[in-house]
Amino acid sequence: MMFHPLDINAPIPVRFNNPFDYEPDALCRAAVKELQSKLPVNPIEGKMYGVLIVMNKGRLGYLQAYSGQIENEPEGFVPAVFDYLQPNGYFKIHEAEISSLNHMIAQLQASEEYKEAQQQLKDIQQEAQKVLDEKRNIMQAAKALRDKRRKEAFISEQEHNEMIRQSQFLKAELHRTKLTYNEQIDAAKQRLQLLQDKIMAWKRERKLKSDRLQYWLFSQFSLLNAHGERKNLLDIFRDYYLLNSAARTRTAQKLSASADKTEDKNISISLLPPSGAGECCEPKLLQYAFQQGYKPIAMAMFWWGPAPKNEVRQHGSYYPACNGKCKPILMWMLEGLEINCDTASNSTEQTIEIIYEDSYLAVINKPSGLLSVPGKSGKPSVYSILKERWKGENEPFMVHRLDMSTSGLLVIARNLSVYKALQKQFLHHEVSKRYVALLPLSFLEKHKPTDGRITLPLTPDVNDRPRQMVDHINGKSAITAYHVVGKTKYGKDNQEAIKIQLHPQTGRTHQLRVHCAHKEGLDTPIIGDTLYGKRDERLWLHAEHLEFTHPITAKDMSFDSTLL
């Protein structure tokens, strides 16, 4: 049974919640509680689960789903939008062909023939290098003796000619040896190249088959919206990106006009959906509801189980829909539903406190919830507020930024030369920054040292920007020193938390948040971190200290701000 009745006395929302920014209501929480009671207490692998509150012929209930597809799906969960795991189906047949190519490639790469060809080339190259070096040494020694003989005594014409013949012989011998080894090396290279060409041909065939299979798979995902209209994934992503391409092009033009060199990789557009698109909870839940004629009321997603190795996921925590895979799909599927556009993100009054200001720069205290630079929403930002304040006298130049949810100190330049000078100080690590964060008391159970250093390289989650991931292979270096201050009170309810100082030695996106939350870091998300932890009245992360040298006066500038 897919429809699960929900017996709860709670108000029914008039509008569907925004799946990209929400706080689960009482209905969703009740449904999630029921679902979690049926899930394994200590699962081996983590997975995203979700519920969709629906109205079915006047009866209130919920649907439940999990992300991805597995064979022998458990009962009670909505089916996949398109089941491609049938044993003798199109996908499995062609997937087997790709797997066969993988096996052939791996088998040849691991074969004795391939290893011998690689080793033979390596041995001949090493032997050639050794022999040629020996002959060069002999030539150098002979030349040194000749030069010495010429300096010590008179050289007869006969002896002179003999020296020339010796030099010519040694050079010819070196040349003949080079030719001999070059022939052997070329033969060894040809033998190895034949095997590598075979591997490359199989890889090209594999890619072609894989691309065709992916294209076919995306075409099979036919998704409904609230109007009862259908689109497959190919059309959904094509239309979404083409719709936004004009805005992206304008952004690229602006960036190019404002900098000598601009390389914004986010502007490049791929019309194909990412792998796994259409398999998240949200499209599965909405698809089944539309097929059955149920009225969607609200939805919520949560993570259950251990986090993946590179990602930050908290067991039992709620998460918004991902931007890479789900946003284009949900923008289509939610057409026809009235959406609650009021975001759940908390923000303080959109004003800034001027800590210091002169003709060259300003230092301000940014509140949580205020953007550093303008975004797509058109909401106020530090940049827009200062631009209005200075009214053409100076153009604000944002030397560095804080996340919208992070509060604290920012320095802003008032002309280009000051901006470049301050940027140089940041680049050479001549600026001292210190943040303070609040962690839940559960941090004490981790038994972490009171002082330490976190080195976890970071990379963007391409399918869910702006989330970051830990990547020990391709990630960029990120280093944070920390110091545990002790217990403190916070928030409207005067709750207790652990206060910790953070000293970033690099400036990666979400560095402090990930270093606190990731299991290889402090294993404790900052209180109020909606991306890597749990929602609170705000993100309790604050830039409390900033120290730099004034580019014009050369004075040491030091500022402090208290986390309120």
Side-chain angles (χ1 to χ4, degrees):
M1 182 178 177
M2 306 298 177
F3 178 83
H4 305 273
L6 191 61
D7 185 15
I8 180 176
N9 184 18
I12 297 176
V14 177
R15 294 178 293 173
F16 194 80
N17 65 310
N18 179 357
F20 300 100
D21 190 359
Y22 66 93
E23 177 69 17
D25 61 10
L27 295 175
C28 286
R29 290 183 180 276
V32 165
K33 185 177 180 180
E34 283 192 17
L35 172 54
Q36 290 178 347
S37 69
K38 297 177 282 187
L39 296 176
V41 177
N42 295 307
I44 299 175
E45 294 183 355
K47 187 176 283 292
M48 194 73 76
Y49 290 86
V51 297
L52 175 65
I53 309 299
V54 295
M55 192 67 74
N56 175 19
K57 298 178 181 178
R59 295 177 64 206
L60 187 68
Y62 69 93
L63 306 174
Q64 58 190 34
Y66 56 82
S67 288
Q69 287 196 37
I70 57 174
E71 296 183 18
N72 303 317
E73 292 186 345
E75 295 182 357
F77 290 88
V78 300
V81 174
F82 173 66
D83 183 6
Y84 55 85
L85 297 180
Q86 296 300 319
N88 297 315
Y90 183 94
F91 183 86
K92 280 295 185 182
I93 291 172
H94 289 79
E95 184 185 48
E97 294 176 357
I98 296 170
S99 297
S100 176
L101 286 168
N102 285 333
H103 177 71
M104 291 162 62
I105 292 167
Q107 194 173 41
L108 181 52
Q109 288 176 330
S111 68
E112 288 301 320
E113 182 185 13
Y114 189 70
K115 291 178 181 178
E116 286 176 5
Q118 288 179 309
Q119 191 62 44
Q120 182 187 35
L121 176 59
K122 183 179 178 181
D123 290 345
I124 294 174
Q125 288 174 329
Q126 289 178 344
E127 182 183 333
Q129 187 66 46
K130 181 181 178 181
V131 172
L132 292 172
D133 285 345
E134 288 174 352
K135 290 190 176 296
R136 290 189 185 100
N137 291 335
I138 291 172
M139 288 176 60
Q140 290 173 359
K143 183 178 184 302
L145 288 173
R146 292 195 302 271
D147 292 343
K148 182 179 180 183
R149 175 66 180 152
R150 290 188 182 101
K151 289 180 181 178
E152 291 176 347
F154 174 77
I155 303 297
S156 67
E157 183 177 352
Q158 181 180 356
E159 193 174 356
H160 175 72
N161 292 337
E162 180 61 29
M163 287 181 177
I164 292 174
R165 282 194 295 272
Q166 182 194 45
S167 175
Q168 290 174 341
F169 172 79
L170 291 175
K171 287 180 180 178
E173 182 67 15
L174 177 64
H175 181 66
R176 285 192 295 271
T177 305
K178 281 183 179 180
L179 291 177
T180 300
Y181 276 110
N182 283 343
E183 289 176 359
Q184 295 179 33
I185 289 171
D186 287 343
K189 282 183 176 179
Q190 287 176 10
R191 180 190 175 195
L192 180 60
Q193 190 64 50
L194 287 173
L195 298 174
Q196 289 176 335
D197 287 345
K198 186 179 290 187
I199 290 171
M200 289 305 299
W202 285 340
K203 285 184 176 181
R204 285 192 295 269
E205 184 181 358
R206 180 182 64 182
K207 186 178 187 311
L208 183 62
K209 286 181 177 292
S210 180
D211 288 347
R212 285 175 176 171
L213 186 58
Q214 280 286 82
Y215 193 89
W216 172 85
L217 182 62
F218 294 143
S219 70
Q220 302 304 304
F221 276 76
S222 180
L223 293 150
L224 289 161
N225 65 12
H227 290 303
E229 302 165 329
R230 283 185 177 273
K231 266 188 188 180
N232 66 36
L233 281 178
L234 295 170
D235 292 337
I236 288 173
F237 276 81
R238 180 203 63 206
D239 293 347
Y240 175 81
Y241 282 119
L242 291 178
L243 182 66
N244 289 277
S245 63
R248 291 170 183 240
T249 301
R250 286 194 297 271
T251 301
Q253 291 171 344
K254 288 180 182 178
L255 289 169
S256 298
S258 62
D260 295 330
K261 288 186 179 180
T262 297
E263 184 180 357
D264 189 347
K265 296 179 181 178
N266 293 329
I267 294 170
S268 62
I269 299 170
S270 172
L271 301 183
L272 284 178
S275 179
E279 299 183 50
C280 295
C281 296
E282 295 90 341
K284 291 167 72 172
L285 290 166
L286 289 170
Q287 181 82 347
Y288 188 81
F290 293 149
Q291 287 173 337
Q292 302 301 316
Y294 300 160
K295 181 183 178 183
I297 304 296
M299 64 166 38
M301 312 298 136
F302 64 92
W303 182 264
W304 193 255
K309 183 178 180 180
N310 293 339
E311 294 184 51
V312 178
R313 298 289 185 187
Q314 305 298 326
H315 176 68
S317 291
Y318 292 97
Y319 288 93
C322 62
N323 285 310
K325 294 180 183 179
C326 285
K327 191 168 187 178
I329 296 173
L330 296 185
M331 293 290 284
W332 160 254
M333 298 189 78
L334 294 176
E335 285 187 14
L337 288 181
E338 189 176 357
I339 308 298
N340 182 4
C341 295
D342 297 330
T343 65
S345 298
N346 295 303
S347 61
T348 58
E349 185 181 353
Q350 304 296 289
T351 58
I352 59 176
E353 177 189 2
I354 305 292
I355 305 294
Y356 173 87
E357 186 177 18
D358 62 23
S359 301
Y360 308 103
L361 57 84
V363 176
I364 65 100
N365 192 18
K366 185 187 87 69
S368 174
L370 179 65
L371 292 165
S372 292
V373 296
K376 295 180 181 179
S377 63
K379 292 181 179 179
S381 65
V382 172
Y383 177 88
S384 64
I385 292 172
L386 288 178
K387 188 173 184 179
E388 175 63 24
R389 175 183 174 86
W390 293 334
K391 291 184 185 286
E393 295 177 15
N394 300 104
E395 179 80 11
F397 288 84
M398 304 301 295
V399 181
H400 61 131
R401 303 178 186 182
L402 294 175
D403 292 341
M404 182 178 73
S405 302
T406 304
S407 59
L409 297 170
L410 280 173
V411 57
I412 298 93
R414 299 187 69 167
N415 62 55
L416 186 58
S417 62
V418 172
Y419 165 78
K420 288 182 177 179
L422 287 170
Q423 278 272 292
K424 188 175 181 181
Q425 290 186 43
F426 273 92
L427 183 64
H428 293 161
H429 304 287
E430 297 169 353
V431 177
S432 175
K433 294 183 292 180
R434 186 177 71 243
Y435 292 74
V436 64
L438 301 184
L439 306 181
L441 294 178
S442 60
F443 171 72
L444 298 176
E445 301 170 6
K446 311 294 182 181
H447 303 291
K448 299 286 183 179
T450 55
D451 291 273
R453 193 165 180 261
I454 304 166
T455 56
L456 292 176
L458 303 179
T459 189
D461 184 342
V462 294
N463 288 322
D464 197 12
R465 293 179 186 272
R467 286 180 63 89
Q468 302 294 303
M469 302 168 59
V470 171
D471 187 340
H472 290 285
I473 298 174
N474 300 312
K476 292 184 178 180
S477 172
I479 304 169
T480 304
Y482 73 89
H483 168 70
V484 177
V485 178
K487 293 184 179 181
T488 188
K489 301 287 186 179
Y490 78 97
K492 298 175 183 176
D493 299 328
N494 205 30
Q495 299 180 72
E496 202 168 38
I498 302 298
K499 185 178 181 180
I500 184 169
Q501 290 179 342
L502 300 166
H503 302 261
Q505 296 170 24
T506 51
R508 308 301 177 202
T509 301
H510 294 178
Q511 175 178 318
L512 302 181
R513 297 164 70 173
V514 176
H515 279 184
C516 285
H518 197 271
K519 56 188 175 183
E520 295 179 36
L522 297 183
D523 197 18
T524 311
I526 298 171
I527 296 174
D529 191 341
T530 56
L531 279 178
Y532 308 104
K534 294 183 178 180
R535 192 179 298 275
D536 200 80
E537 60 187 79
R538 61 156 290 184
L539 172 66
W540 292 95
L541 176 62
H542 181 76
E544 69 169 2
H545 178 76
L546 182 64
E547 191 172 338
F548 58 92
T549 301
H550 197 295
I552 306 301
T553 66
K555 290 183 178 179
D556 291 335
M557 310 292 286
S558 182
F559 303 92
D560 292 282
S561 169
T562 304
L563 172 63
L564 300 177

